[in-house]
Amino acid sequence: MAKMETTEMAALAARFVNSTNRHVFLTGKAGTGKTTFLRHLSESTHKRHVILAPTGIAALNANGVTIHSQFLLPFGTFLPDRNLPMELPGGANFYTQQTLVRRHPLNAKRRDVLRNIDLLIIDEVSMLRADLLDAIDARLRFVKRNYSEPFGGVQLLMIGDMYQLPPIVKDHEWSKMRDYYRSQHFFEAVALRESGFVYVELDKIFRQQDDAFISILNNLRNNVVTASDIEKLNEHFLEEKDVPKDVITLTTHNYKADAINRTALDNLKGKTHYFQAEVQDDFPESIYPVSESLELKEGARVMFVKNDADGDAYYNGKLATVSSIRDENIEVLMDGDSEPYTLKREKWENKKYTVNEKIKDLEEEVVGEFRQYPIKLAWAITVHKSQGLTFEKAVIDVGQAFAPGQVYVALSRLTSLGGLILRTKIDPNVVSTDQQVVEFAKTKEHQQPLDVILKQDQADFLNRMLSTTFDFSDVVKAIEAILKKNETVGQFEDAEMRSALDVIASNIKSEMANTQKFVQQLRFCLQENEHERLLSRIEKGSKYYIEFVESNLKLLLKHIEEVKQFSRTKTYSDALAEIDLILMKNWEQMDKARDVAEAIIHGKEIKKNLERDTERNLLRRKLSSDAEKEAEKNPKNTKTKSGKTRKGKKEKGSSPQKGATYEVTYALVKDGLSVTEIAEKRGMAQSTIEGHIAKGIEAGEVDINKFMEEDDRETIEMIIKDNPKENSGFVYGKLQGKFSYGQIRMVQAFLKS
């Protein structure tokens, strides 16, 4: 497909994202380039971000992850209240901010990712419910420790077309949601109404060039479709016997699409061939992009479901016919081509966001892969699955449209009215658009001109950046919280380890008066429009304070490596990691402060500086490596494994004899043996060894992550926390035997520890 040009509105939307902290709702009619905008922005923005979507397939298409997996949200309905109401309907799960924190806490990895981000991108936002967005708000305020700002100060970019398919809310859920929301749509979220957002609409249509067709589509969107519009559309109705055989059908229900494909495939003569997908590691069946077992015959109509990763031979939505199958060799003839094309397997990746421990930078981790030929049978697909696709010709069957916007979505897949074939005439009664969506669309007419909003928001962003970039108060607060809550510090036998955090806090406090004066100078320059002086001061100040951060980071990393030498220090280590992350965030902000300020002042585009980021990451790696070597060279030789003093310490040899058998298992665990290998080596039942390991996990001697994937642990945790009074037998039944009793006991022990 031809490369899409960047429009004025797309460029404006990018400036809102890159040079303000304003939440942005980016929309546009079908074919205006929302997907292209997302792809380009994610590659070019200087802000640390994650891409989310409401469903697994949408997340896969957006190259992101699902909202539920990133925020570890339970399935159910979030109520934006402190406590649950007294009376709740049966058969539904309701939760609030308090139950989120208490019963569904985030693990350290996801917490670190969310602490690291500046920007949250949500694709296909039309499917996002208001309560889910408020649950995201609750999570971010808690993680960022910023309760005064919606979403904890994180910027939102929400992308989608509200005229497409709506979010799903069941009647019993709405019976309580309606006490808080006017509708189920994302724009009714309490947090979003508090913060506000800018409405940006991409206005250049790339898919359709037919003015008459565009006019009809616009009328469908705006609930003002005329009798003339319906008449023009119904001129394209054909009796079933006259409908061309090889034109794709867009229909309303899965069963109808499946039946059409099944019948057409069965009617083909010749041998049936099956091609199995190659699935590796964590790739849930719920997000398979195509069938795990692809059934084909020569002559089958197929559609590509992915863009060509190695060129432009095909794109998502391209239609073709299978011309030849020889073993694993499949040839197809693309519509409009005369030469066959040999298919290759494509790869889809299931990803998670993580923070690289060495450099404290946000990264994507591939946790699973799916390889299969990138096609599916294409005599018919549902309207829902056609979103984002383009067809030159299609049979539209929307006589049973059941959701607002379905008729519009189906028709807007076509490039022109000339390519339309109707299997059933369109009934004016099924073309309605959600009236609340129509009213919401009018809000953009009441906002100030976008260039006026942008100028003010950029000034606010610059002012805020000057204040926060050189502010170290978050580091001091985090250290004080550790010293107040964590007894570990005072219990260290080594005096230097006991005072490590105090020294860093003292260093920062002694510099805070200077930083306040410096920020005042920057603000004065900004107020007086002394821009060159401002940029010069930012450059010099950044250099000075980066060296200051580096010197304190060395002290912190040394302390972190020393703490790693001892057992039972995980909670304390996690707290230290948070300070590490805050300092690295300060460093990153200082690194780019001058570039951001200059771009805003001179009206330029803010670009990602890969060279600078790489240089910072390399220096950070060196600091980590130096700290690790120093800790190995000069270990803290103390009397106890934990490096801490113990109260009421027992005399040597006073432990009961059965404790010795646990120690043997722990030693084999440290040697890297699996449960099965340990059981075999010791001549014991596997369940017995799992019991030993559970004991070790509770005692802090064994790391549960060596025996269980994080996602598996979280699955078991959720059942245990939802049923705190139930025994392991109940939990085993709830999990339908997917996990052993030993694994359940390990998680129970982990929670106790």
Side-chain angles (χ1 to χ4, degrees):
M1 294 180 75
K3 187 177 179 182
M4 229 174 248
E5 63 185 86
T6 300
T7 66
E8 183 182 345
M9 293 305 288
L12 193 60
R15 291 182 72 184
F16 268 106
V17 172
N18 284 319
S19 61
T20 81
N21 207 44
R22 170 82 68 160
H23 303 316
V24 178
F25 170 56
L26 180 78
T27 189
K29 301 178 179 70
T32 50
K34 297 183 293 295
T35 301
T36 302
F37 176 86
L38 170 59
R39 186 169 64 248
H40 181 263
L41 182 85
S42 65
E43 292 169 355
S44 62
T45 183
H46 66 97
K47 293 186 176 182
R48 294 191 183 187
H49 65 280
V50 294
I51 301 172
L52 307 177
T55 67
I57 295 295
L60 205 62
N61 291 337
N63 201 25
V65 302
T66 65
I67 290 168
H68 279 86
S69 66
Q70 182 58 58
F71 285 92
L72 283 186
L73 298 172
F75 287 99
T77 305
F78 178 81
L79 299 179
D81 215 330
R82 286 191 61 80
N83 301 305
L84 285 172
M86 294 295 290
E87 294 183 7
L88 291 171
N93 178 39
F94 291 90
Y95 61 101
T96 66
Q97 182 175 349
Q98 280 196 334
T99 49
L100 261 184
V101 173
R102 190 172 66 250
R103 295 171 64 180
H104 306 284
L106 284 169
N107 59 35
K109 286 185 178 179
R110 284 175 175 81
R111 206 163 51 234
D112 283 350
V113 167
L114 295 177
R115 281 176 180 154
N116 218 301
I117 62 171
D118 313 300
L119 171 67
L120 188 70
I121 302 174
I122 304 177
D123 195 25
E124 298 291 2
V125 75
S126 68
M127 293 189 284
L128 179 65
R129 287 168 33 161
D131 64 313
L132 195 57
L133 193 54
D134 277 328
I136 291 171
D137 168 61
R139 276 286 200 228
L140 286 173
R141 291 191 200 225
F142 179 79
V143 166
K144 291 282 191 177
R145 297 184 180 177
N146 179 357
Y147 295 94
S148 61
E149 291 184 279
F151 306 101
V154 173
Q155 183 184 26
L156 264 58
L157 168 61
M158 301 159 287
I159 303 175
D161 183 355
M162 296 307 296
Y163 291 90
Q164 298 197 9
L165 302 181
I168 298 170
V169 177
K170 297 174 182 174
D171 289 343
H172 59 268
E173 294 175 315
W174 183 243
S175 69
K176 277 298 166 189
M177 278 181 65
R178 66 186 178 194
D179 293 340
Y180 304 91
Y181 304 107
R182 289 174 293 193
S183 81
Q184 76 273 33
H185 296 291
F186 83 93
F187 50 79
E188 295 294 356
V190 175
L192 204 57
R193 292 208 304 265
E194 180 185 341
S195 64
F197 58 93
V198 66
Y199 190 124
V200 182
E201 183 170 0
L202 301 181
D203 51 4
K204 182 174 175 59
I205 297 175
F206 294 93
R207 183 176 292 144
Q208 292 97 14
Q209 304 299 324
D210 179 340
D211 290 339
F213 190 35
I214 290 172
S215 175
I216 293 173
L217 290 176
N218 287 341
N219 289 346
L220 282 168
R221 280 172 68 90
N222 299 326
N223 262 358
V224 291
V225 66
T226 66
S228 173
D229 293 333
I230 298 295
E231 187 179 339
K232 283 180 184 175
L233 292 173
N234 285 335
E235 286 174 3
H236 295 265
F237 167 75
L238 288 180
E239 297 289 345
E240 188 152 351
K241 61 182 176 61
D242 299 321
V243 173
K245 299 296 182 189
D246 290 338
V247 177
I248 192 167
T249 295
L250 272 59
T251 188
T252 50
H253 295 74
N254 275 310
Y255 78 88
K256 297 182 85 173
D258 292 343
I260 292 170
N261 285 325
R262 181 77 265 164
T263 301
L265 188 66
D266 289 345
N267 287 340
L268 288 177
K269 296 178 181 179
K271 182 181 176 183
T272 301
H273 301 262
Y274 295 91
F275 302 92
Q276 292 298 127
E278 300 164 7
V279 186
Q280 292 181 5
D281 303 322
D282 181 11
F283 205 106
E285 189 175 346
S286 60
I287 64 168
Y288 284 179
V290 290
S291 176
E292 184 180 16
S293 180
L294 183 63
E295 183 182 355
L296 292 176
K297 287 182 181 179
E298 290 182 359
R301 288 291 288 167
V302 294
M303 179 180 73
F304 286 88
V305 296
K306 201 176 196 293
N307 295 332
D308 184 2
D310 300 320
D312 57 359
Y314 52 83
Y315 55 84
N316 188 13
K318 179 73 174 175
L319 294 167
T321 302
V322 176
S323 55
S324 169
I325 303 176
R326 298 288 181 273
D327 298 323
E328 283 287 310
N329 192 55
I330 306 171
E331 288 187 347
V332 299
L333 191 62
M334 310 273 194
D335 285 10
D337 288 356
S338 56
E339 294 295 323
Y341 175 81
T342 303
L343 287 183
K344 60 191 177 186
R345 288 182 184 264
E346 283 277 12
K347 178 176 72 174
W348 288 264
E349 295 177 334
N350 183 26
K351 297 177 180 179
K352 286 185 178 178
Y353 291 103
T354 61
V355 173
N356 185 308
E357 289 304 312
K358 287 289 185 186
I359 59 176
K360 289 295 172 185
D361 202 359
L362 202 60
E363 290 184 345
E364 291 179 352
E365 177 189 354
V366 177
V367 296
E369 291 184 358
F370 181 96
R371 291 177 182 270
Q372 180 60 292
Y373 294 107
I375 56 172
K376 66 192 331 181
L377 293 178
W379 284 283
I381 60 171
T382 63
V383 173
H384 186 275
K385 290 176 182 174
S386 75
Q387 288 192 158
L389 302 181
T390 301
F391 304 111
E392 291 180 9
K393 185 177 284 190
V395 177
I396 306 294
D397 179 13
V398 287
Q400 290 181 286
F402 59 88
Q406 236 180 356
V407 174
Y408 167 75
V409 172
L411 292 172
S412 63
R413 302 306 95 202
L414 286 161
T415 56
S416 71
L417 200 55
L420 172 63
I421 300 168
L422 290 179
R423 177 169 283 164
T424 52
K425 288 189 176 183
I426 292 177
D427 179 350
N429 295 320
V430 300
V431 298
S432 65
T433 299
D434 188 327
Q435 190 57 39
Q436 289 164 321
V437 169
V438 175
E439 291 301 316
F440 168 65
K442 293 177 182 176
T443 60
K444 74 181 174 70
E445 299 170 7
H446 304 300
Q447 69 182 7
Q448 288 182 292
L450 289 175
D451 55 346
V452 174
I453 301 174
L454 179 65
K455 189 173 181 180
Q456 180 58 53
D457 285 350
Q458 284 181 325
D460 293 343
F461 180 75
L462 183 53
N463 199 19
R464 176 179 173 141
M465 185 194 76
L466 297 179
S467 300
T468 57
T469 299
F470 303 98
D471 181 7
F472 298 102
S473 58
D474 284 348
V475 182
V476 175
K477 286 177 187 174
I479 291 175
E480 287 175 346
I482 293 174
L483 295 174
K484 183 178 180 181
K485 295 180 181 178
N486 208 312
E487 295 180 0
T488 301
V489 186
Q491 292 176 2
F492 280 122
E493 292 178 15
D494 182 76
E496 189 180 359
M497 291 184 71
R498 284 200 303 271
S499 64
L501 287 184
D502 277 322
V503 170
I504 296 171
S506 177
N507 290 345
I508 291 173
K509 285 177 181 177
S510 65
E511 188 64 34
M512 285 178 80
N514 288 334
T515 59
Q516 288 171 358
K517 289 179 184 176
F518 178 64
V519 170
Q520 286 174 355
Q521 291 174 7
L522 296 180
R523 281 180 164 172
F524 178 80
C525 292
L526 182 62
Q527 186 178 340
E528 297 299 315
N529 292 322
E530 296 181 7
H531 293 154
E532 292 310 311
R533 183 167 174 240
L534 172 67
L535 297 176
S536 174
R537 295 293 294 155
I538 291 174
E539 188 170 6
K540 290 177 182 176
S542 295
K543 185 177 180 182
Y544 171 81
Y545 283 113
I546 285 173
E547 290 175 0
F548 175 73
V549 167
E550 191 180 328
S551 64
N552 285 284
L553 198 56
K554 286 179 182 177
L555 298 176
L556 178 66
L557 294 175
K558 177 173 178 284
H559 184 50
I560 288 172
E561 292 301 327
E562 289 171 347
V563 170
K564 282 182 184 176
Q565 297 175 31
F566 305 110
S567 64
R568 304 183 188 182
T569 56
K570 186 177 186 308
T571 302
Y572 181 58
S573 294
D574 287 346
L576 294 178
E578 183 182 351
I579 300 171
D580 185 3
L581 195 148
I582 295 170
L583 282 172
M584 284 305 300
K585 194 72 178 167
N586 280 123
W587 186 349
E588 181 201 4
Q589 293 298 105
M590 292 172 195
D591 245 353
K592 64 182 183 182
R594 191 193 187 283
D595 288 354
V596 172
E598 184 177 26
I600 291 175
I601 288 168
H602 297 301
K604 297 178 182 176
E605 183 183 352
I606 303 174
K607 297 181 180 178
K608 183 190 292 187
N609 190 326
L610 288 174
E611 185 179 341
R612 182 189 58 217
D613 292 346
T614 302
E615 188 178 327
R616 182 178 62 255
N617 290 340
L618 286 173
L619 182 51
R620 162 64 200 226
R621 284 183 188 277
K622 184 179 184 304
L623 293 177
S624 296
S625 178
D626 289 348
E628 198 174 333
K629 289 174 184 175
E630 187 175 347
E632 288 175 1
K633 187 178 177 182
N634 302 302
K636 296 292 182 183
N637 297 312
T638 59
K639 299 174 185 176
T640 60
K641 288 182 181 179
S642 66
K644 296 177 283 185
T645 56
R646 292 181 181 170
K647 296 178 181 178
K649 189 176 176 183
K650 295 181 181 179
E651 291 184 16
K652 195 173 181 180
S654 64
S655 299
Q657 186 59 36
K658 76 171 185 177
T661 191
Y662 297 146
E663 295 296 336
V664 174
T665 297
Y666 302 160
L668 293 173
V669 168
K670 287 174 183 174
D671 288 341
L673 273 66
S674 67
V675 172
T676 306
E677 290 168 336
I678 296 171
E680 189 176 330
K681 192 174 183 71
R682 300 203 62 192
M684 294 179 172
Q686 187 166 317
S687 59
T688 303
I689 298 303
E690 286 179 331
H692 290 182
I693 290 169
K695 285 273 188 185
I697 290 167
E698 187 173 348
E701 296 288 344
V702 176
D703 182 359
I704 191 173
N705 295 314
K706 289 185 177 180
F707 296 95
M708 193 174 296
E709 291 293 327
E710 185 179 17
D711 284 349
D712 289 344
R713 191 196 77 219
E714 289 166 0
T715 299
I716 300 171
E717 270 185 33
M718 192 171 290
I719 300 298
I720 293 171
K721 289 174 180 175
D722 284 346
N723 305 277
K725 295 181 181 179
E726 301 293 348
N727 58 25
S728 55
F730 176 87
V731 176
Y732 181 84
K734 269 285 194 182
L735 293 165
Q736 300 178 330
K738 187 178 178 182
F739 301 98
S740 69
Y741 279 98
Q743 289 173 308
I744 293 167
R745 291 189 184 105
M746 286 182 200
V747 177
Q748 288 171 328
F750 173 76
L751 292 173
K752 287 179 183 178
S753 71

